[in-house]
Every structure is written in C-alpha cells, then in structure tokens.
Amino acid sequence: MPKTTGTKPPAVPVEHPDPKSEGVGELSSEFRGRGSRASRIDAGKAARQRVPRAELAVCARMERDPIALLEAGDAGRLPNLVPIRYGRMVASPFAFYRGAAAVMAHDLSTLPRTDVMVQLGGDAHLANFGLFASPERRVMFGPNDFDETLPGPFDWDIRRLATSFVVAARERGFGVRVQRDVVRRLCATFRQRIADFSVMDTLDVWYFQFSAENMLAIADTPQNRKKEQAVVSKAMSRTSRTVASHTTELVNGRLCIKDEPPLVYHRSVANRQEAQQFETEIRRFIAEYRATLLVDRRALFDRYELVDFAVRVVGVGSVGTRCYVALFMADGKCPLFLQIKEAQRSVLEKYLPASEFANHGERVVTGQRLLQSASDIFLGWSKSRLTGIDFYVRQLRDMKGSFDFGTFDPDDLSEYAVSCGHALAHAMAKAGDSAVICGYLGKSAAFDEAIGQFALAYAEQNEADWSALKAAVKTGRIDALRNA
C-alpha cells in the first residue's frame, strides 16, 4: 500500500510504443503520446492490484481535532470576516461540509488511496457543480469551483462528491436506502462515462461539452424537466447587464456598486494620499491581470474602463479570504463585472506535492481550464504587490445557476447525481487519462459499493465534526456570526 501522508504516490506506469516500429525515427519522450489504450487499461488494473477497490471503503473514526484543523485555515483570513464563516458553517451538517475541505483533505491523506493521478477539482461537493456559460453562450453544467485544484489521486474527488450526496440526503430526511441508491447511481454513471470516454477520439473528448440540454435530457419526468428548465432559464438571464440593474446606483451622476454591509462594501481610506496609492495599486493589478488573457480577449477587455471597486463576501469555505468585485463600463452604458478572488495554497498541498505554479491564481485558472468543458473568456490571474497575495479573476454571475437542494425529493437528488457523474467523468477524461481510470474501475460494481460504504461512514464523521463546531461555538472557543 502506498504511503498516505505528505508523499507523492508512485506514477502509474504506461508503456509507450517503440518509435522505430512506427517508422517515425527517434523521438524524445514528450512526443511519444500515452501508449495504446490496452496498455493504459492494464496500468489501471495494476493500480487496482496495489490498492484494491475494496480498500477505498475504509473509513475508521478519525482521531483528530476538527476545530484545530479549521482554525489552522484561518491564518491569513480577514479577522472581521472569520466569524461570518463559522456562522455559515454551523448552520447545518451540509454547510459545515462545504466549509471543511481542509478537514476532509487531512482525513483522506490518512486512508488508502489509489496512485492513479489526475487534476483534481479538490472540493468536489454537489454545491460546487452548476450552470455556467461557454464562450459561445451555451449554458453548460459541470464543476464550477477550483480554489483547491491540484493533481492528486482520482478517488479523492469522487469520495468527496459521493459523501456530499449522503450528507444532503440525510439533511432532507431520506433514509439509508435512498442514500445508498443515490451514491450507486452517481458512481455507476461515473464509471460508465469514463469507459465511454476511454474509447472516444482524443479530440472528441476534449471538445465534448456537457450542456444544460444534456442535463435536461436525463430528467425522468416532464415535471422534473420543467423544474430544471426554470433554473436554466434563470441562469440564461444572468448577465453583467442584469447584475448591474440591482447591484448598482447612481452617485453624483456616476454609476457605483451599492454598499450592502457586511457583505458588500467599499474600502475606507484615511486620506487622499492613501486613496491615490490604492487606485494606483488596483490599476497596476488590472494591467498585470490583462497580460494573462489571450491576445484577442485583451482587445475586447481594452474596450472597457474601470469605474468602481468594492469588497464582496462570498461562499462558505471562502469567507474571510479577500474577494472584490470590479465594475467596468464600455461606451458609458455596457457593464462588465469581474470578481477578483484570493487564491491561497490548496488545502491538498499539505498532503500532496506542491503546485508547480508560483502564483496560486494561475494554479486555479489552469485547473479550471483543464477541467471545465469551456471556461470564461475573462479568466486570468494577478498578484497584489502591496500584500503579496495571489488572486484569480473571472466574470461575476455570467449565466451562472445553481439548484436548490433543500427542495429536492429522492428522484431529484438521484437525477442530479447522474448529471454530476457525467460532468466529473468528463472533467477527469479531459484533464487526465480515462483509460487508466477505466482500468482501475473495472466493469463490476465493486468500486461503486466501496465508495458507497465510505460515503455513508464519512457522513457520520462529518456530523460528529459539525457537533464539535457547535460545541466550540457554545463554549466560546469559536466566534460565530449567524445569519450574515
């Protein structure tokens, strides 16, 4: 069994054909491709021998302090926002799960894991999948949060995703049978789609897009399809123009972002000199971000001018990290909102090899481009010279949409699991090697059963950790600001 803490799992061996036998002469290794599908399937089977699928079910009760793990992640966050983070996490087991990626990363590092490496999303719970726009203005469905992205064992993402479905099902009052069935359907879909992608043309896998239309086609009933269509239609209406209609106001004839403290507010400055310094830093930051865009997108970006800039609090696990919204205008009437979000070290880096990128914003952007079917045209990164903090940049709410899991019945949750299984399989096939993963998964339901056992056991652990947070709030160890 491979070591489980702080070391890089051994690479999966893949045989390469002899270039001489192909009549192409000597080629350096980087031009030899990945080898035949059969050899890569065999590599996956060999990985299965090293770490049998049944071992992925292992989930003993964790002997660690979850609060200490959470507190370690508070370093570098804005102190005034940390209580909001804990106030959101303490609300429910699922809210806790959303904010506890660092806790699960620690736990996964202590358990058996495969040595089949892929680009992980890093925080693959069901609320981190949703609708977003392609550059061609199609509505896509797939993973949409990449703050923790890093190469790692492929099973880490599927285990986190599967557990999130169990946690959500428990929160809805669904019994163990429903929980098991939903995870089985998630895993069976993931396994079948990985097999499908492993035999597809390489370019076809890269170009494949799991769209909202594909998601709607999965719906088992006209009623479910109608509910999903309403979410898709709402996402299609979300553009910078519609965002501007309810998040901006005219101040002395100038369009500005509305203050809505403590979640949206303008940074206060003590004097004119500080204000000028801040504006200079923002404009330098934007210029360096612009340099990370493709040339054609720079030409588009140059049609806009920066008109306002504000702090914005987002998410659950991200609360306390620095996040801003910038309003740009073209022709005095065409708005563009960009979100500027702090990129810290991935919570996975404590247990896996560190990122190859010096800027964690670039790490996030690269992971997103690898894993998504299509990515935001304004996706880029930069660094604050004043603080040394890394950031990534993307459009705010550009045709983005999410589903209300609090209203899901068992059929809704099961259908959503199928969509997530499709999307995660494509993300891994696009960024990694679906044949090696396919070889590990096999044709039986052994992998599905192992992940199901793990997910049910870890959901229990998550609930115990949530109870520990509630106790810490009650005793005053943790300061939590609720309803913010």
Side-chain angles (χ1 to χ4, degrees), residues 396-414:
L396 178 69
R397 295 181 187 168
D398 183 46
M399 292 174 64
K400 293 181 174 68
S402 59
F403 294 83
D404 183 1
F405 314 114
T407 65
F408 276 15
D409 62 25
D411 288 340
D412 294 329
L413 198 63
S414 183

Side-chain angles (χ1 to χ4, degrees), residues 254 256-259 264-269 308-311:
R254 177 172 168 265
C256 297
I257 299 166
K258 286 182 184 178
D259 282 327
V264 181
Y265 58 92
H266 288 79
R267 174 177 167 173
S268 61
V269 291
D308 201 14
F309 192 88
V311 177

Side-chain angles (χ1 to χ4, degrees), residues 38-337:
S39 69
R40 288 149 49 221
I41 290 285
D42 287 343
K45 291 179 178 178
R48 190 201 309 168
Q49 293 299 313
R50 292 189 292 274
V51 181
R53 291 166 294 187
E55 290 193 15
L56 301 182
V58 173
C59 184
R61 183 55 65 98
M62 303 297 170
E63 299 296 333
R64 78 288 188 267
D65 180 358
I67 308 306
L69 291 170
L70 292 173
E71 288 175 321
D74 292 341
R77 294 177 188 257
L78 295 169
N80 62 307
L81 298 182
V82 171
I84 296 178
R85 178 192 182 212
Y86 286 120
R88 292 182 178 182
M89 288 181 67
V90 80
S92 70
F94 187 74
F96 176 88
Y97 190 77
R98 288 185 63 180
V103 176
M104 192 169 190
H106 167 275
D107 295 344
L108 288 171
S109 75
T110 69
L111 298 172
R113 69 196 195 205
T114 73
D115 54 16
V116 178
M117 304 293 280
V118 299
Q119 183 74 31
L120 297 174
D123 190 15
H125 60 73
L126 64 93
N128 276 345
F129 285 69
L131 303 172
F132 56 92
S134 75
E136 301 79 22
R137 313 311 287 159
R138 294 184 70 198
V139 181
M140 316 301 298
F141 177 82
N144 60 9
D145 187 298
F146 304 92
D147 287 7
E148 312 301 345
T149 186
L150 197 74
F154 88 93
D155 58 280
W156 283 19
D157 267 1
I158 190 70
R159 285 200 267 184
R160 182 151 175 79
L161 180 58
T163 302
S164 74
F165 275 96
V166 175
V167 174
R170 288 167 65 109
E171 203 157 294
R172 294 286 296 134
F174 305 151
V176 172
R177 180 176 178 179
V178 171
Q179 297 167 29
R180 289 186 186 278
D181 288 347
V182 168
V183 174
R184 285 193 187 110
R185 199 169 182 197
L186 166 72
C187 293
T189 301
F190 173 79
R191 180 166 45 82
Q192 183 57 59
R193 292 304 287 147
I194 284 290
D196 294 341
F197 286 124
S198 75
V199 296
M200 283 175 59
D201 180 272
T202 301
L203 283 176
D204 288 343
V205 173
W206 189 269
Y207 292 141
F208 178 86
Q209 294 183 335
F210 188 69
S211 67
E213 288 85 354
N214 298 133
M215 188 180 190
L216 292 171
I218 291 171
D220 293 331
T221 66
Q223 182 181 8
N224 286 351
R225 193 173 299 113
K226 184 178 180 180
K227 287 191 294 186
E228 292 176 4
Q229 181 61 64
V231 178
V232 173
S233 298
K234 184 177 180 180
M236 291 179 69
S237 70
R238 286 184 166 180
T239 64
S240 283
R241 184 171 294 280
T242 57
V243 171
S245 68
H246 63 270
T247 64
T248 62
E249 60 185 354
L250 284 174
V251 178
N252 298 324
R254 177 172 168 265
L255 194 65
C256 297
I257 299 166
K258 286 182 184 178
D259 282 327
E260 297 178 7
L263 303 183
V264 181
Y265 58 92
H266 288 79
R267 174 177 167 173
S268 61
V269 291
N271 51 54
R272 181 181 296 273
Q273 181 179 359
E274 183 178 337
Q276 290 176 341
Q277 182 184 33
F278 181 66
E279 182 174 349
T280 298
E281 163 66 6
I282 291 300
R283 295 194 178 280
R284 183 211 54 77
F285 178 96
I286 294 297
E288 293 188 1
Y289 150 72
R290 175 187 175 276
T292 69
L293 299 175
L294 296 176
V295 173
D296 61 330
R297 296 171 188 184
R298 288 182 212 162
L300 173 60
F301 183 65
D302 287 347
R303 299 172 190 178
Y304 291 86
E305 63 174 330
L306 177 65
V307 297
D308 201 14
F309 192 88
V311 177
R312 184 168 183 267
V313 180
V314 295
V316 178
S318 295
V319 176
T321 58
R322 291 149 185 83
C323 184
Y324 307 94
V325 58
L327 170 61
F328 296 79
M329 296 292 289
D331 301 328
K333 61 181 179 179
C334 303
L336 169 67
F337 284 92

Side-chain angles (χ1 to χ4, degrees), residues 358-380:
N359 186 308
H360 285 291
E362 184 175 6
R363 171 184 60 78
V364 172
V365 168
T366 301
Q368 180 167 345
R369 288 174 176 166
L370 279 169
L371 291 164
Q372 277 192 324
S373 299
S375 295
D376 182 359
I377 62 172
F378 288 111
L379 196 60

